PDB file of all heavy atoms in Angstrom:
ATOM      1  N   PRO A 572     -19.464 154.330 187.921  1.00  0.00           N
ATOM      2  CA  PRO A 572     -20.636 154.286 188.749  1.00  0.00           C
ATOM      3  C   PRO A 572     -21.919 154.530 187.964  1.00  0.00           C
ATOM      4  O   PRO A 572     -21.841 155.305 186.958  1.00  0.00           O
ATOM      5  CB  PRO A 572     -20.379 155.423 189.781  1.00  0.00           C
ATOM      6  CG  PRO A 572     -19.552 156.369 188.994  1.00  0.00           C
ATOM      7  CD  PRO A 572     -18.716 155.561 188.049  1.00  0.00           C
ATOM      8  N   ASN A 573     -23.032 153.946 188.353  1.00  0.00           N
ATOM      9  CA  ASN A 573     -24.282 154.226 187.631  1.00  0.00           C
ATOM     10  C   ASN A 573     -24.808 155.610 188.014  1.00  0.00           C
ATOM     11  O   ASN A 573     -24.248 156.290 188.884  1.00  0.00           O
ATOM     12  CB  ASN A 573     -25.295 153.134 187.833  1.00  0.00           C
ATOM     13  CG  ASN A 573     -25.835 153.071 189.286  1.00  0.00           C
ATOM     14  OD1 ASN A 573     -25.851 154.060 189.985  1.00  0.00           O
ATOM     15  ND2 ASN A 573     -26.301 151.854 189.695  1.00  0.00           N
ATOM     16  N   ARG A 574     -25.909 155.963 187.404  1.00  0.00           N
ATOM     17  CA  ARG A 574     -26.395 157.358 187.580  1.00  0.00           C
ATOM     18  C   ARG A 574     -26.737 157.652 189.068  1.00  0.00           C
ATOM     19  O   ARG A 574     -26.319 158.684 189.559  1.00  0.00           O
ATOM     20  CB  ARG A 574     -27.630 157.572 186.641  1.00  0.00           C
ATOM     21  CG  ARG A 574     -28.226 158.950 186.751  1.00  0.00           C
ATOM     22  CD  ARG A 574     -29.387 159.051 185.752  1.00  0.00           C
ATOM     23  NE  ARG A 574     -29.887 160.416 185.701  1.00  0.00           N
ATOM     24  CZ  ARG A 574     -30.708 160.945 186.542  1.00  0.00           C
ATOM     25  NH1 ARG A 574     -31.173 160.209 187.544  1.00  0.00           N
ATOM     26  NH2 ARG A 574     -31.140 162.210 186.435  1.00  0.00           N
ATOM     27  N   GLN A 575     -27.508 156.757 189.681  1.00  0.00           N
ATOM     28  CA  GLN A 575     -27.916 157.019 191.038  1.00  0.00           C
ATOM     29  C   GLN A 575     -26.774 157.107 191.973  1.00  0.00           C
ATOM     30  O   GLN A 575     -26.670 157.969 192.845  1.00  0.00           O
ATOM     31  CB  GLN A 575     -28.928 155.974 191.492  1.00  0.00           C
ATOM     32  CG  GLN A 575     -29.464 156.163 192.896  1.00  0.00           C
ATOM     33  CD  GLN A 575     -30.416 155.039 193.287  1.00  0.00           C
ATOM     34  OE1 GLN A 575     -30.665 154.118 192.537  1.00  0.00           O
ATOM     35  NE2 GLN A 575     -30.959 155.111 194.503  1.00  0.00           N
ATOM     36  N   VAL A 576     -25.840 156.117 191.833  1.00  0.00           N
ATOM     37  CA  VAL A 576     -24.642 156.102 192.734  1.00  0.00           C
ATOM     38  C   VAL A 576     -23.783 157.347 192.458  1.00  0.00           C
ATOM     39  O   VAL A 576     -23.258 157.920 193.434  1.00  0.00           O
ATOM     40  CB  VAL A 576     -23.878 154.804 192.512  1.00  0.00           C
ATOM     41  CG1 VAL A 576     -22.492 154.851 193.251  1.00  0.00           C
ATOM     42  CG2 VAL A 576     -24.663 153.578 192.953  1.00  0.00           C
ATOM     43  N   HIS A 577     -23.645 157.737 191.225  1.00  0.00           N
ATOM     44  CA  HIS A 577     -22.834 158.924 190.859  1.00  0.00           C
ATOM     45  C   HIS A 577     -23.389 160.166 191.537  1.00  0.00           C
ATOM     46  O   HIS A 577     -22.664 160.983 192.136  1.00  0.00           O
ATOM     47  CB  HIS A 577     -22.772 159.065 189.337  1.00  0.00           C
ATOM     48  CG  HIS A 577     -21.849 160.098 188.855  1.00  0.00           C
ATOM     49  ND1 HIS A 577     -21.775 160.530 187.591  1.00  0.00           N
ATOM     50  CD2 HIS A 577     -20.877 160.849 189.546  1.00  0.00           C
ATOM     51  CE1 HIS A 577     -20.862 161.463 187.467  1.00  0.00           C
ATOM     52  NE2 HIS A 577     -20.285 161.671 188.645  1.00  0.00           N
ATOM     53  N   LEU A 578     -24.703 160.334 191.451  1.00  0.00           N
ATOM     54  CA  LEU A 578     -25.360 161.479 192.080  1.00  0.00           C
ATOM     55  C   LEU A 578     -25.166 161.484 193.594  1.00  0.00           C
ATOM     56  O   LEU A 578     -24.839 162.517 194.171  1.00  0.00           O
ATOM     57  CB  LEU A 578     -26.869 161.454 191.791  1.00  0.00           C
ATOM     58  CG  LEU A 578     -27.351 161.935 190.432  1.00  0.00           C
ATOM     59  CD1 LEU A 578     -28.818 161.657 190.203  1.00  0.00           C
ATOM     60  CD2 LEU A 578     -27.050 163.422 190.239  1.00  0.00           C
ATOM     61  N   LEU A 579     -25.287 160.317 194.207  1.00  0.00           N
ATOM     62  CA  LEU A 579     -25.138 160.252 195.658  1.00  0.00           C
ATOM     63  C   LEU A 579     -23.685 160.514 196.081  1.00  0.00           C
ATOM     64  O   LEU A 579     -23.440 161.215 197.075  1.00  0.00           O
ATOM     65  CB  LEU A 579     -25.584 158.861 196.169  1.00  0.00           C
ATOM     66  CG  LEU A 579     -25.734 158.778 197.684  1.00  0.00           C
ATOM     67  CD1 LEU A 579     -27.014 158.054 198.067  1.00  0.00           C
ATOM     68  CD2 LEU A 579     -24.552 158.015 198.321  1.00  0.00           C
ATOM     69  N   LEU A 580     -22.748 160.015 195.343  1.00  0.00           N
ATOM     70  CA  LEU A 580     -21.313 160.317 195.682  1.00  0.00           C
ATOM     71  C   LEU A 580     -21.019 161.772 195.498  1.00  0.00           C
ATOM     72  O   LEU A 580     -20.215 162.305 196.260  1.00  0.00           O
ATOM     73  CB  LEU A 580     -20.438 159.481 194.756  1.00  0.00           C
ATOM     74  CG  LEU A 580     -20.427 157.962 194.952  1.00  0.00           C
ATOM     75  CD1 LEU A 580     -19.553 157.202 193.920  1.00  0.00           C
ATOM     76  CD2 LEU A 580     -20.001 157.557 196.381  1.00  0.00           C
ATOM     77  N   SER A 581     -21.637 162.387 194.518  1.00  0.00           N
ATOM     78  CA  SER A 581     -21.441 163.809 194.293  1.00  0.00           C
ATOM     79  C   SER A 581     -22.023 164.626 195.424  1.00  0.00           C
ATOM     80  O   SER A 581     -21.340 165.559 195.981  1.00  0.00           O
ATOM     81  CB  SER A 581     -21.978 164.258 192.967  1.00  0.00           C
ATOM     82  OG  SER A 581     -21.389 163.563 191.888  1.00  0.00           O
ATOM     83  N   ARG A 582     -23.268 164.345 195.733  1.00  0.00           N
ATOM     84  CA  ARG A 582     -23.968 165.160 196.808  1.00  0.00           C
ATOM     85  C   ARG A 582     -23.380 164.988 198.188  1.00  0.00           C
ATOM     86  O   ARG A 582     -23.478 165.886 199.004  1.00  0.00           O
ATOM     87  CB  ARG A 582     -25.447 164.796 196.811  1.00  0.00           C
ATOM     88  CG  ARG A 582     -26.166 165.276 195.530  1.00  0.00           C
ATOM     89  CD  ARG A 582     -27.538 164.711 195.405  1.00  0.00           C
ATOM     90  NE  ARG A 582     -28.270 165.264 194.258  1.00  0.00           N
ATOM     91  CZ  ARG A 582     -29.390 164.780 193.762  1.00  0.00           C
ATOM     92  NH1 ARG A 582     -29.931 163.719 194.372  1.00  0.00           N
ATOM     93  NH2 ARG A 582     -29.951 165.264 192.717  1.00  0.00           N
ATOM     94  N   SER A 583     -22.828 163.788 198.427  1.00  0.00           N
ATOM     95  CA  SER A 583     -22.302 163.520 199.717  1.00  0.00           C
ATOM     96  C   SER A 583     -20.864 164.084 199.948  1.00  0.00           C
ATOM     97  O   SER A 583     -20.304 164.053 201.060  1.00  0.00           O
ATOM     98  CB  SER A 583     -22.268 161.989 199.994  1.00  0.00           C
ATOM     99  OG  SER A 583     -21.396 161.358 199.076  1.00  0.00           O
ATOM    100  N   GLY A 584     -20.288 164.606 198.858  1.00  0.00           N
ATOM    101  CA  GLY A 584     -18.918 165.176 198.971  1.00  0.00           C
ATOM    102  C   GLY A 584     -17.806 164.163 198.807  1.00  0.00           C
ATOM    103  O   GLY A 584     -16.640 164.563 198.902  1.00  0.00           O
ATOM    104  N   ILE A 585     -18.117 162.894 198.497  1.00  0.00           N
ATOM    105  CA  ILE A 585     -17.056 161.910 198.339  1.00  0.00           C
ATOM    106  C   ILE A 585     -16.205 162.227 197.113  1.00  0.00           C
ATOM    107  O   ILE A 585     -14.966 162.084 197.168  1.00  0.00           O
ATOM    108  CB  ILE A 585     -17.647 160.504 198.258  1.00  0.00           C
ATOM    109  CG1 ILE A 585     -18.179 160.102 199.649  1.00  0.00           C
ATOM    110  CG2 ILE A 585     -16.637 159.479 197.827  1.00  0.00           C
ATOM    111  CD1 ILE A 585     -18.811 158.717 199.700  1.00  0.00           C
ATOM    112  N   LEU A 586     -16.851 162.600 196.014  1.00  0.00           N
ATOM    113  CA  LEU A 586     -16.075 162.906 194.833  1.00  0.00           C
ATOM    114  C   LEU A 586     -15.151 164.088 195.027  1.00  0.00           C
ATOM    115  O   LEU A 586     -14.055 164.144 194.501  1.00  0.00           O
ATOM    116  CB  LEU A 586     -17.029 163.191 193.658  1.00  0.00           C
ATOM    117  CG  LEU A 586     -17.881 162.009 193.176  1.00  0.00           C
ATOM    118  CD1 LEU A 586     -18.577 162.415 191.921  1.00  0.00           C
ATOM    119  CD2 LEU A 586     -17.044 160.788 192.909  1.00  0.00           C
ATOM    120  N   ASP A 587     -15.548 165.083 195.880  1.00  0.00           N
ATOM    121  CA  ASP A 587     -14.644 166.144 196.210  1.00  0.00           C
ATOM    122  C   ASP A 587     -13.458 165.693 197.019  1.00  0.00           C
ATOM    123  O   ASP A 587     -12.338 166.218 196.822  1.00  0.00           O
ATOM    124  CB  ASP A 587     -15.429 167.258 196.974  1.00  0.00           C
ATOM    125  CG  ASP A 587     -16.490 167.906 196.096  1.00  0.00           C
ATOM    126  OD1 ASP A 587     -16.319 167.910 194.887  1.00  0.00           O
ATOM    127  OD2 ASP A 587     -17.524 168.383 196.665  1.00  0.00           O
ATOM    128  N   LEU A 588     -13.694 164.759 197.941  1.00  0.00           N
ATOM    129  CA  LEU A 588     -12.589 164.218 198.733  1.00  0.00           C
ATOM    130  C   LEU A 588     -11.616 163.465 197.873  1.00  0.00           C
ATOM    131  O   LEU A 588     -10.419 163.680 197.981  1.00  0.00           O
ATOM    132  CB  LEU A 588     -13.141 163.320 199.860  1.00  0.00           C
ATOM    133  CG  LEU A 588     -13.791 163.990 201.049  1.00  0.00           C
ATOM    134  CD1 LEU A 588     -14.360 162.910 201.981  1.00  0.00           C
ATOM    135  CD2 LEU A 588     -12.756 164.873 201.772  1.00  0.00           C
ATOM    136  N   ILE A 589     -12.154 162.607 197.050  1.00  0.00           N
ATOM    137  CA  ILE A 589     -11.263 161.784 196.187  1.00  0.00           C
ATOM    138  C   ILE A 589     -10.609 162.555 195.117  1.00  0.00           C
ATOM    139  O   ILE A 589      -9.436 162.407 194.822  1.00  0.00           O
ATOM    140  CB  ILE A 589     -12.089 160.595 195.606  1.00  0.00           C
ATOM    141  CG1 ILE A 589     -12.628 159.708 196.732  1.00  0.00           C
ATOM    142  CG2 ILE A 589     -11.297 159.843 194.582  1.00  0.00           C
ATOM    143  CD1 ILE A 589     -13.525 158.606 196.236  1.00  0.00           C
ATOM    144  N   GLY A 590     -11.379 163.562 194.577  1.00  0.00           N
ATOM    145  CA  GLY A 590     -10.860 164.331 193.470  1.00  0.00           C
ATOM    146  C   GLY A 590     -11.525 163.930 192.192  1.00  0.00           C
ATOM    147  O   GLY A 590     -11.618 162.755 191.831  1.00  0.00           O
ATOM    148  N   ALA A 591     -12.035 164.919 191.456  1.00  0.00           N
ATOM    149  CA  ALA A 591     -12.747 164.625 190.215  1.00  0.00           C
ATOM    150  C   ALA A 591     -11.853 163.908 189.227  1.00  0.00           C
ATOM    151  O   ALA A 591     -12.319 163.173 188.356  1.00  0.00           O
ATOM    152  CB  ALA A 591     -13.311 165.893 189.601  1.00  0.00           C
ATOM    153  N   ALA A 592     -10.518 164.173 189.298  1.00  0.00           N
ATOM    154  CA  ALA A 592      -9.582 163.521 188.337  1.00  0.00           C
ATOM    155  C   ALA A 592      -9.482 162.064 188.590  1.00  0.00           C
ATOM    156  O   ALA A 592      -8.861 161.326 187.722  1.00  0.00           O
ATOM    157  CB  ALA A 592      -8.253 164.175 188.459  1.00  0.00           C
ATOM    158  N   TRP A 593     -10.001 161.561 189.704  1.00  0.00           N
ATOM    159  CA  TRP A 593      -9.852 160.125 190.003  1.00  0.00           C
ATOM    160  C   TRP A 593     -11.211 159.357 189.823  1.00  0.00           C
ATOM    161  O   TRP A 593     -11.408 158.284 190.386  1.00  0.00           O
ATOM    162  CB  TRP A 593      -9.349 159.911 191.449  1.00  0.00           C
ATOM    163  CG  TRP A 593      -7.980 160.425 191.627  1.00  0.00           C
ATOM    164  CD1 TRP A 593      -7.599 161.583 192.202  1.00  0.00           C
ATOM    165  CD2 TRP A 593      -6.825 159.785 191.213  1.00  0.00           C
ATOM    166  NE1 TRP A 593      -6.213 161.730 192.132  1.00  0.00           N
ATOM    167  CE2 TRP A 593      -5.691 160.585 191.579  1.00  0.00           C
ATOM    168  CE3 TRP A 593      -6.542 158.586 190.544  1.00  0.00           C
ATOM    169  CZ2 TRP A 593      -4.386 160.302 191.263  1.00  0.00           C
ATOM    170  CZ3 TRP A 593      -5.160 158.210 190.308  1.00  0.00           C
ATOM    171  CH2 TRP A 593      -4.137 159.079 190.637  1.00  0.00           C
ATOM    172  N   CYS A 594     -12.062 159.891 188.961  1.00  0.00           N
ATOM    173  CA  CYS A 594     -13.327 159.230 188.632  1.00  0.00           C
ATOM    174  C   CYS A 594     -13.314 159.008 187.128  1.00  0.00           C
ATOM    175  O   CYS A 594     -13.044 159.927 186.346  1.00  0.00           O
ATOM    176  CB  CYS A 594     -14.511 160.099 189.024  1.00  0.00           C
ATOM    177  SG  CYS A 594     -14.577 160.506 190.789  1.00  0.00           S
ATOM    178  N   PHE A 595     -13.599 157.767 186.737  1.00  0.00           N
ATOM    179  CA  PHE A 595     -13.390 157.375 185.375  1.00  0.00           C
ATOM    180  C   PHE A 595     -14.620 156.601 184.825  1.00  0.00           C
ATOM    181  O   PHE A 595     -15.380 155.978 185.603  1.00  0.00           O
ATOM    182  CB  PHE A 595     -12.165 156.419 185.236  1.00  0.00           C
ATOM    183  CG  PHE A 595     -10.890 157.068 185.750  1.00  0.00           C
ATOM    184  CD1 PHE A 595     -10.531 156.900 187.038  1.00  0.00           C
ATOM    185  CD2 PHE A 595     -10.112 157.815 184.895  1.00  0.00           C
ATOM    186  CE1 PHE A 595      -9.333 157.481 187.526  1.00  0.00           C
ATOM    187  CE2 PHE A 595      -8.938 158.418 185.401  1.00  0.00           C
ATOM    188  CZ  PHE A 595      -8.550 158.222 186.704  1.00  0.00           C
TER     189      PHE A 595
END
Side-chain angles (χ1 to χ4, degrees):
N573 68 26
R574 182 178 186 275
Q575 182 181 1
V576 172
H577 188 189
L578 281 171
L579 191 135
L580 293 176
S581 300
R582 290 171 177 167
S583 62
I585 289 181
L586 294 188
D587 294 332
L588 283 176
I589 295 175
W593 294 101
C594 300
F595 303 90

